[in-house]
Amino acid sequence: MISNKKRLVVLFFTLMLMVINVAAQDNPIVLRFTLWIPVDSPRGELFAEIAEEFSAANAGVSIQYDYIPFADYTTTLPLQLSGSNPPDAGWLTENVAPTWVQSGILADLSASLLADEAYDFADLAPSAMELWRSGDPIFGVPFSTSPFLLIYNRDLFEAVGVDAPDVMIENGAYTWENLAVALKTIREEAGVAGLQSFNGGLYSGERVWHTVIPLVRAYGGDAWDADNTCTLNSPESVAGLQVFHDMIFTDRSIEAPGEVVDFYTGSAAVLMGQLSGVGPLAEASFDWDIAPLPDGAAGRASVVGQAAFVVFNNSPNRDTAIEFVKFLTNKENTLRIARYFPPIRVSVLETDVLLTANPT
Protein backbone atom coordinates (compact mmCIF):
# COMPACT_ATOMS: atom_id res chain seq x y z
CA MET A 1 0.00 0.00 0.00
CA ILE A 2 1.11 3.56 -0.66
CA SER A 3 1.99 5.43 2.51
CA ASN A 4 0.55 8.84 3.32
CA LYS A 5 4.00 10.35 2.72
CA LYS A 6 4.18 8.91 -0.78
CA ARG A 7 0.63 10.08 -1.47
CA LEU A 8 1.66 13.60 -0.50
CA VAL A 9 4.69 13.44 -2.80
CA VAL A 10 2.55 12.27 -5.73
CA LEU A 11 -0.03 14.95 -4.99
CA PHE A 12 2.70 17.61 -4.81
CA PHE A 13 4.15 16.74 -8.23
CA THR A 14 0.68 16.49 -9.74
CA LEU A 15 -0.09 19.99 -8.52
CA MET A 16 3.25 21.27 -9.83
CA LEU A 17 2.50 19.88 -13.30
CA MET A 18 -0.89 21.56 -13.21
CA VAL A 19 0.73 24.87 -12.28
CA ILE A 20 3.26 24.52 -15.11
CA ASN A 21 0.53 23.75 -17.63
CA VAL A 22 -1.54 26.72 -16.45
CA ALA A 23 1.53 28.98 -16.66
CA ALA A 24 2.21 27.78 -20.19
CA GLN A 25 -1.36 28.54 -21.18
CA ASP A 26 -1.29 31.96 -19.51
CA ASN A 27 2.06 32.88 -21.11
CA PRO A 28 2.02 31.27 -24.55
CA ILE A 29 5.12 31.44 -26.72
CA VAL A 30 4.65 32.28 -30.39
CA LEU A 31 7.85 31.59 -32.29
CA ARG A 32 8.20 33.77 -35.38
CA PHE A 33 10.08 31.83 -38.06
CA THR A 34 11.02 33.47 -41.38
CA LEU A 35 11.27 31.60 -44.68
CA TRP A 36 11.13 32.34 -48.39
CA ILE A 37 8.58 29.78 -49.59
CA PRO A 38 4.82 30.42 -49.51
CA VAL A 39 3.21 28.80 -46.50
CA ASP A 40 0.38 27.42 -48.66
CA SER A 41 2.79 25.57 -51.01
CA PRO A 42 3.41 21.80 -50.65
CA ARG A 43 6.75 22.53 -48.99
CA GLY A 44 5.12 25.07 -46.72
CA GLU A 45 2.44 22.58 -45.74
CA LEU A 46 5.12 20.11 -44.69
CA PHE A 47 6.72 22.68 -42.41
CA ALA A 48 3.29 23.47 -40.98
CA GLU A 49 2.82 19.77 -40.11
CA ILE A 50 6.18 19.68 -38.33
CA ALA A 51 5.31 22.87 -36.43
CA GLU A 52 2.03 21.36 -35.23
CA GLU A 53 3.87 18.29 -33.95
CA PHE A 54 6.36 20.47 -32.08
CA SER A 55 3.51 22.46 -30.52
CA ALA A 56 1.74 19.27 -29.46
CA ALA A 57 4.88 18.15 -27.62
CA ASN A 58 5.54 21.58 -26.10
CA ALA A 59 2.52 23.00 -24.29
CA GLY A 60 1.93 26.69 -24.85
CA VAL A 61 4.28 26.95 -27.85
CA SER A 62 3.09 27.72 -31.37
CA ILE A 63 4.96 28.50 -34.59
CA GLN A 64 4.17 31.47 -36.81
CA TYR A 65 5.82 31.22 -40.24
CA ASP A 66 6.54 34.61 -41.82
CA TYR A 67 6.96 34.53 -45.60
CA ILE A 68 9.50 36.94 -47.12
CA PRO A 69 10.07 36.68 -50.89
CA PHE A 70 13.57 35.43 -51.70
CA ALA A 71 14.47 38.60 -53.62
CA ASP A 72 13.81 40.70 -50.51
CA TYR A 73 14.88 38.24 -47.85
CA THR A 74 18.37 39.39 -46.86
CA THR A 75 17.36 43.07 -46.94
CA THR A 76 14.04 42.71 -45.11
CA LEU A 77 15.30 40.38 -42.38
CA PRO A 78 17.84 42.81 -40.84
CA LEU A 79 15.11 45.46 -40.65
CA GLN A 80 12.85 43.05 -38.79
CA LEU A 81 15.66 42.03 -36.44
CA SER A 82 16.28 45.66 -35.51
CA GLY A 83 12.61 46.23 -34.68
CA SER A 84 10.71 45.83 -31.43
CA ASN A 85 9.29 42.43 -32.40
CA PRO A 86 12.17 40.51 -34.01
CA PRO A 87 11.71 37.01 -35.46
CA ASP A 88 13.05 34.16 -33.36
CA ALA A 89 14.49 31.93 -36.06
CA GLY A 90 14.44 31.32 -39.79
CA TRP A 91 16.23 30.35 -42.96
CA LEU A 92 19.54 31.79 -44.14
CA THR A 93 21.55 31.31 -47.35
CA GLU A 94 25.19 30.35 -47.64
CA ASN A 95 26.26 33.59 -49.34
CA VAL A 96 25.60 35.65 -46.20
CA ALA A 97 26.62 32.99 -43.67
CA PRO A 98 30.20 34.19 -43.00
CA THR A 99 29.11 37.79 -42.38
CA TRP A 100 26.20 36.86 -40.13
CA VAL A 101 28.25 34.34 -38.16
CA GLN A 102 30.94 36.95 -37.45
CA SER A 103 28.45 39.71 -36.67
CA GLY A 104 26.98 38.10 -33.56
CA ILE A 105 23.45 38.09 -35.00
CA LEU A 106 23.13 34.30 -34.77
CA ALA A 107 22.70 32.26 -31.59
CA ASP A 108 25.08 29.44 -30.68
CA LEU A 109 23.23 26.11 -30.96
CA SER A 110 26.06 23.87 -29.78
CA ALA A 111 25.01 23.27 -26.17
CA SER A 112 21.65 21.83 -27.16
CA LEU A 113 22.75 19.91 -30.27
CA LEU A 114 25.82 18.28 -28.77
CA ALA A 115 24.23 17.31 -25.44
CA ASP A 116 21.43 15.26 -27.02
CA GLU A 117 22.70 11.77 -27.93
CA ALA A 118 19.49 10.97 -29.81
CA TYR A 119 20.09 13.95 -32.10
CA ASP A 120 23.36 12.35 -33.29
CA PHE A 121 25.27 15.47 -34.29
CA ALA A 122 28.05 13.30 -35.76
CA ASP A 123 25.59 12.21 -38.46
CA LEU A 124 25.74 15.72 -39.98
CA ALA A 125 28.39 15.79 -42.72
CA PRO A 126 31.28 17.90 -41.33
CA SER A 127 32.05 19.51 -44.70
CA ALA A 128 28.46 20.74 -44.98
CA MET A 129 28.70 22.36 -41.54
CA GLU A 130 31.87 24.37 -42.21
CA LEU A 131 30.18 27.67 -43.06
CA TRP A 132 28.08 27.54 -39.90
CA ARG A 133 30.82 26.92 -37.35
CA SER A 134 33.39 29.25 -35.86
CA GLY A 135 35.56 27.11 -33.63
CA ASP A 136 33.32 25.23 -31.22
CA PRO A 137 30.14 27.31 -31.57
CA ILE A 138 27.48 26.18 -34.08
CA PHE A 139 25.42 28.95 -35.66
CA GLY A 140 23.17 27.03 -38.04
CA VAL A 141 22.16 23.61 -39.34
CA PRO A 142 21.81 23.31 -43.13
CA PHE A 143 18.62 21.65 -44.31
CA SER A 144 19.42 22.00 -48.01
CA THR A 145 22.80 21.46 -49.66
CA SER A 146 21.93 21.32 -53.31
CA PRO A 147 24.33 21.02 -56.25
CA PHE A 148 23.91 23.34 -59.20
CA LEU A 149 22.84 21.50 -62.33
CA LEU A 150 21.13 21.95 -65.68
CA ILE A 151 17.53 20.88 -66.27
CA TYR A 152 16.87 20.55 -69.98
CA ASN A 153 14.01 20.14 -72.44
CA ARG A 154 15.01 17.11 -74.49
CA ASP A 155 12.26 17.74 -77.05
CA LEU A 156 13.79 21.07 -78.09
CA PHE A 157 17.24 19.54 -78.66
CA GLU A 158 15.75 16.76 -80.78
CA ALA A 159 13.50 19.17 -82.71
CA VAL A 160 16.48 21.09 -84.11
CA GLY A 161 18.75 18.05 -84.44
CA VAL A 162 21.48 18.91 -81.91
CA ASP A 163 22.92 16.67 -79.22
CA ALA A 164 21.30 16.94 -75.80
CA PRO A 165 23.56 17.08 -72.72
CA ASP A 166 23.33 13.32 -72.05
CA VAL A 167 24.54 12.58 -75.59
CA MET A 168 27.38 15.07 -75.23
CA ILE A 169 28.39 13.40 -71.97
CA GLU A 170 28.37 9.97 -73.63
CA ASN A 171 30.54 11.30 -76.45
CA GLY A 172 32.98 13.08 -74.12
CA ALA A 173 31.98 16.43 -75.63
CA TYR A 174 30.08 18.05 -72.77
CA THR A 175 31.70 21.49 -72.58
CA TRP A 176 30.36 25.01 -72.23
CA GLU A 177 31.55 25.79 -75.75
CA ASN A 178 29.71 22.82 -77.31
CA LEU A 179 26.59 23.50 -75.29
CA ALA A 180 26.70 27.16 -76.37
CA VAL A 181 26.72 26.09 -80.04
CA ALA A 182 23.70 23.82 -79.49
CA LEU A 183 21.80 26.53 -77.61
CA LYS A 184 22.54 29.09 -80.35
CA THR A 185 21.02 26.69 -82.87
CA ILE A 186 17.92 26.26 -80.69
CA ARG A 187 17.53 30.05 -80.47
CA GLU A 188 17.86 30.47 -84.23
CA GLU A 189 15.69 27.55 -85.34
CA ALA A 190 13.13 27.12 -82.54
CA GLY A 191 12.87 30.80 -81.62
CA VAL A 192 13.22 30.27 -77.86
CA ALA A 193 15.99 31.03 -75.40
CA GLY A 194 18.71 28.45 -75.08
CA LEU A 195 19.64 28.86 -71.42
CA GLN A 196 17.55 30.48 -68.69
CA SER A 197 19.80 31.83 -65.93
CA PHE A 198 19.79 30.43 -62.41
CA ASN A 199 16.10 30.35 -61.46
CA GLY A 200 15.55 33.19 -63.94
CA GLY A 201 17.11 35.77 -61.61
CA LEU A 202 20.03 37.03 -63.70
CA TYR A 203 18.97 40.63 -64.22
CA SER A 204 17.13 41.18 -60.97
CA GLY A 205 20.47 40.87 -59.18
CA GLU A 206 19.39 38.13 -56.79
CA ARG A 207 20.92 35.32 -58.88
CA VAL A 208 23.64 36.94 -60.96
CA TRP A 209 26.49 35.32 -59.01
CA HIS A 210 24.76 31.93 -59.08
CA THR A 211 24.80 32.07 -62.89
CA VAL A 212 28.26 33.62 -63.38
CA ILE A 213 30.36 31.69 -60.85
CA PRO A 214 29.85 28.19 -62.37
CA LEU A 215 31.25 29.49 -65.68
CA VAL A 216 34.09 31.44 -64.07
CA ARG A 217 35.19 28.48 -61.96
CA ALA A 218 34.96 26.08 -64.91
CA TYR A 219 37.73 28.13 -66.52
CA GLY A 220 39.89 28.20 -63.40
CA GLY A 221 38.87 31.63 -62.14
CA ASP A 222 36.93 32.87 -59.14
CA ALA A 223 35.55 36.08 -57.66
CA TRP A 224 37.99 36.24 -54.72
CA ASP A 225 41.20 34.57 -53.64
CA ALA A 226 42.21 33.37 -50.18
CA ASP A 227 43.35 36.91 -49.29
CA ASN A 228 39.95 38.39 -50.23
CA THR A 229 41.41 40.07 -53.30
CA CYS A 230 39.03 40.31 -56.24
CA THR A 231 40.26 38.03 -59.05
CA LEU A 232 37.58 38.63 -61.69
CA ASN A 233 40.26 40.29 -63.84
CA SER A 234 42.46 37.20 -63.90
CA PRO A 235 42.91 35.57 -67.34
CA GLU A 236 40.98 32.51 -66.14
CA SER A 237 38.03 34.52 -64.83
CA VAL A 238 37.97 36.67 -67.97
CA ALA A 239 37.85 33.54 -70.14
CA GLY A 240 34.76 32.29 -68.32
CA LEU A 241 33.11 35.70 -68.37
CA GLN A 242 33.79 35.98 -72.11
CA VAL A 243 31.87 32.75 -72.78
CA PHE A 244 29.03 34.06 -70.62
CA HIS A 245 29.04 37.46 -72.38
CA ASP A 246 29.04 35.92 -75.86
CA MET A 247 26.11 33.63 -75.02
CA ILE A 248 24.04 36.70 -74.09
CA PHE A 249 25.09 39.34 -76.61
CA THR A 250 26.51 37.42 -79.61
CA ASP A 251 24.68 34.09 -79.70
CA ARG A 252 21.62 35.41 -77.84
CA SER A 253 21.34 31.94 -76.32
CA ILE A 254 20.85 33.22 -72.75
CA GLU A 255 17.77 35.33 -72.07
CA ALA A 256 18.35 38.97 -72.99
CA PRO A 257 17.77 41.89 -70.59
CA GLY A 258 14.04 42.50 -70.39
CA GLU A 259 13.12 39.21 -72.09
CA VAL A 260 10.51 37.13 -70.27
CA VAL A 261 11.55 33.47 -70.29
CA ASP A 262 10.00 30.50 -68.47
CA PHE A 263 11.62 27.10 -68.87
CA TYR A 264 8.59 25.37 -67.41
CA THR A 265 6.33 26.58 -70.22
CA GLY A 266 8.80 25.59 -72.94
CA SER A 267 10.27 29.02 -73.72
CA ALA A 268 13.83 27.92 -72.86
CA ALA A 269 15.79 24.79 -73.64
CA VAL A 270 17.83 24.67 -70.44
CA LEU A 271 17.40 25.98 -66.90
CA MET A 272 20.32 26.40 -64.53
CA GLY A 273 19.01 25.47 -61.11
CA GLN A 274 18.98 22.90 -58.33
CA LEU A 275 17.13 19.68 -57.55
CA SER A 276 14.21 21.62 -56.12
CA GLY A 277 13.64 22.90 -59.65
CA VAL A 278 12.31 19.55 -60.87
CA GLY A 279 9.27 19.77 -58.61
CA PRO A 280 7.12 21.80 -61.04
CA LEU A 281 7.91 19.30 -63.82
CA ALA A 282 5.79 16.46 -62.44
CA GLU A 283 3.21 17.10 -65.16
CA ALA A 284 5.42 18.76 -67.77
CA SER A 285 4.23 18.69 -71.38
CA PHE A 286 7.74 17.88 -72.66
CA ASP A 287 10.40 15.24 -72.06
CA TRP A 288 13.00 16.54 -69.61
CA ASP A 289 16.13 15.38 -67.83
CA ILE A 290 18.95 16.73 -65.65
CA ALA A 291 22.70 16.99 -66.21
CA PRO A 292 25.70 18.25 -64.25
CA LEU A 293 27.31 21.57 -65.13
CA PRO A 294 29.43 21.37 -68.33
CA ASP A 295 33.24 21.35 -68.38
CA GLY A 296 35.35 24.43 -69.06
CA ALA A 297 39.06 24.79 -69.74
CA ALA A 298 39.76 23.87 -66.11
CA GLY A 299 37.31 20.97 -65.98
CA ARG A 300 33.99 20.79 -64.18
CA ALA A 301 33.22 23.22 -61.37
CA SER A 302 31.09 21.71 -58.64
CA VAL A 303 29.00 24.51 -57.13
CA VAL A 304 26.63 24.01 -54.23
CA GLY A 305 23.91 26.23 -52.83
CA GLN A 306 23.00 25.91 -49.16
CA ALA A 307 20.31 27.06 -46.78
CA ALA A 308 20.34 26.58 -43.02
CA PHE A 309 18.03 26.94 -40.05
CA VAL A 310 19.30 29.58 -37.64
CA VAL A 311 18.20 31.22 -34.39
CA PHE A 312 18.64 34.96 -33.88
CA ASN A 313 20.52 36.12 -30.80
CA ASN A 314 18.04 38.82 -29.84
CA SER A 315 15.10 36.40 -29.91
CA PRO A 316 13.01 36.75 -26.74
CA ASN A 317 12.40 33.00 -26.97
CA ARG A 318 15.89 31.89 -27.91
CA ASP A 319 16.04 28.61 -25.97
CA THR A 320 12.67 27.45 -27.32
CA ALA A 321 13.69 28.47 -30.84
CA ILE A 322 16.87 26.41 -30.54
CA GLU A 323 14.81 23.39 -29.53
CA PHE A 324 12.59 23.91 -32.57
CA VAL A 325 15.62 23.99 -34.89
CA LYS A 326 16.85 20.79 -33.26
CA PHE A 327 13.42 19.25 -33.84
CA LEU A 328 13.40 20.33 -37.49
CA THR A 329 16.79 18.73 -38.11
CA ASN A 330 16.43 15.45 -36.20
CA LYS A 331 16.69 12.25 -38.22
CA GLU A 332 12.95 11.79 -38.69
CA ASN A 333 12.24 15.30 -39.91
CA THR A 334 15.40 15.44 -42.03
CA LEU A 335 14.02 12.51 -44.00
CA ARG A 336 10.67 14.24 -44.46
CA ILE A 337 12.26 17.51 -45.57
CA ALA A 338 14.48 15.53 -47.97
CA ARG A 339 11.44 15.23 -50.24
CA TYR A 340 12.24 18.76 -51.32
CA PHE A 341 15.75 19.63 -50.13
CA PRO A 342 18.97 17.55 -50.34
CA PRO A 343 19.96 16.90 -46.71
CA ILE A 344 23.33 16.73 -44.95
CA ARG A 345 22.66 13.74 -42.68
CA VAL A 346 24.95 10.94 -43.82
CA SER A 347 22.43 8.30 -42.69
CA VAL A 348 19.95 9.72 -45.22
CA LEU A 349 22.41 10.33 -48.06
CA GLU A 350 24.06 6.90 -47.94
CA THR A 351 20.92 4.80 -48.13
CA ASP A 352 18.04 4.46 -50.56
CA VAL A 353 15.70 6.35 -48.26
CA LEU A 354 16.42 9.61 -50.10
CA LEU A 355 15.22 8.09 -53.38
CA THR A 356 12.15 6.75 -51.63
CA ALA A 357 11.40 10.14 -50.12
CA ASN A 358 11.87 12.00 -53.40
CA PRO A 359 10.97 9.79 -56.38
CA THR A 360 11.00 12.76 -58.81
Side-chain angles (χ1 to χ4, degrees), residues 8 19 21 129 158 165 243 269 313 324 334:
L8 288 173
V19 169
N21 286 334
M129 290 293 299
E158 293 180 351
V243 173
N313 236 343
F324 182 52
T334 293

Side-chain angles (χ1 to χ4, degrees), residues 187-218:
R187 168 69 91 172
E188 293 172 346
E189 298 191 14
V192 301
L195 174 69
Q196 183 179 7
S197 58
F198 193 98
N199 290 351
L202 178 59
Y203 301 111
S204 65
E206 69 188 70
R207 294 296 197 178
V208 59
W209 286 110
H210 297 75
T211 304
V212 171
I213 287 300
L215 275 147
V216 168
R217 289 182 177 168

Side-chain angles (χ1 to χ4, degrees), residues 1 23 42 49-50 54 57 61 67 82 174 248 271 301 305 340 344 357:
M1 295 181 66
E49 291 176 11
I50 295 174
F54 182 79
V61 179
Y67 166 65
S82 63
Y174 189 48
I248 297 175
L271 172 67
Y340 303 105
I344 70 165

Side-chain angles (χ1 to χ4, degrees), residues 214-230:
L215 275 147
V216 168
R217 289 182 177 168
Y219 286 82
D222 213 329
W224 311 92
D225 64 14
D227 297 323
N228 291 325
T229 300
C230 181

Side-chain angles (χ1 to χ4, degrees), residues 6-331:
K6 289 183 177 179
R7 286 194 180 95
L8 288 173
V9 171
V10 171
L11 178 60
F12 172 77
F13 281 107
T14 301
L15 290 172
M16 286 296 295
L17 288 173
M18 291 173 65
V19 169
I20 291 171
N21 286 334
V22 170
Q25 294 171 5
D26 291 342
N27 300 284
I29 293 175
V30 179
L31 288 181
R32 289 185 57 219
F33 191 99
T34 60
L35 38 66
W36 56 73
I37 60 169
V39 179
D40 59 355
S41 67
R43 289 177 290 179
E45 291 170 359
L46 171 61
F47 281 100
E49 291 176 11
I50 295 174
E52 289 176 3
E53 293 167 7
F54 182 79
S55 297
N58 295 269
V61 179
S62 60
I63 311 298
Q64 174 186 316
Y65 288 120
D66 287 355
Y67 166 65
I68 304 174
F70 185 85
D72 305 322
Y73 195 85
T74 54
T75 54
T76 301
L77 189 54
L79 295 175
Q80 292 194 4
L81 288 170
S82 63
S84 60
N85 182 30
D88 299 286
W91 294 7
L92 206 61
T93 55
E94 86 290 337
N95 57 323
V96 298
T99 303
W100 286 54
V101 165
Q102 295 167 15
S103 68
I105 296 174
L106 306 180
D108 180 7
L109 315 177
S110 59
S112 178
L113 301 186
L114 298 177
D116 189 343
E117 291 185 9
Y119 182 77
D120 192 6
F121 181 81
D123 190 38
L124 304 179
S127 59
M129 290 293 299
E130 286 181 2
L131 279 176
W132 308 95
R133 303 198 71 169
S134 180
D136 293 330
I138 300 166
F139 295 101
V141 180
F143 64 92
S144 178
T145 297
S146 188
F148 287 20
L149 46 78
L150 299 185
I151 309 170
Y152 63 94
N153 182 331
R154 186 187 302 278
D155 291 348
L156 280 172
F157 283 86
E158 293 180 351
V160 301
V162 294
D163 288 344
D166 60 330
V167 177
M168 293 185 191
I169 292 171
E170 186 177 347
N171 295 334
Y174 189 48
T175 65
W176 277 110
E177 289 91 342
N178 289 339
L179 180 64
V181 171
L183 297 181
K184 179 183 179 182
T185 302
I186 289 174
R187 168 69 91 172
E188 293 172 346
E189 298 191 14
V192 301
L195 174 69
Q196 183 179 7
S197 58
F198 193 98
N199 290 351
L202 178 59
Y203 301 111
S204 65
E206 69 188 70
R207 294 296 197 178
V208 59
W209 286 110
H210 297 75
T211 304
V212 171
I213 287 300
L215 275 147
V216 168
R217 289 182 177 168
Y219 286 82
D222 213 329
W224 311 92
D225 64 14
D227 297 323
N228 291 325
T229 300
C230 181
T231 55
L232 283 176
N233 64 340
S234 70
E236 296 82 4
S237 295
V238 170
L241 289 169
Q242 188 67 56
V243 173
F244 177 64
H245 174 277
D246 291 348
M247 290 177 72
I248 297 175
F249 297 106
T250 303
D251 299 346
R252 295 178 56 248
S253 56
I254 296 179
E255 79 262 32
E259 181 181 12
V260 178
V261 171
D262 184 2
F263 171 79
Y264 297 103
T265 63
S267 60
V270 176
L271 172 67
M272 187 183 293
Q274 295 169 299
L275 290 174
S276 56
V278 306
L281 293 169
E283 299 180 1
S285 60
F286 53 84
D287 186 19
W288 61 273
D289 206 340
I290 63 174
L293 298 174
D295 294 342
R300 182 169 301 160
S302 295
V303 183
V304 172
Q306 196 173 63
F309 299 129
V310 299
V311 173
F312 305 116
N313 236 343
N314 61 346
S315 161
N317 309 297
R318 185 170 58 183
D319 291 344
T320 305
I322 290 173
E323 290 305 304
F324 182 52
V325 167
K326 185 170 74 172
F327 185 74
L328 282 166
T329 56
N330 65 25
K331 290 185 177 182

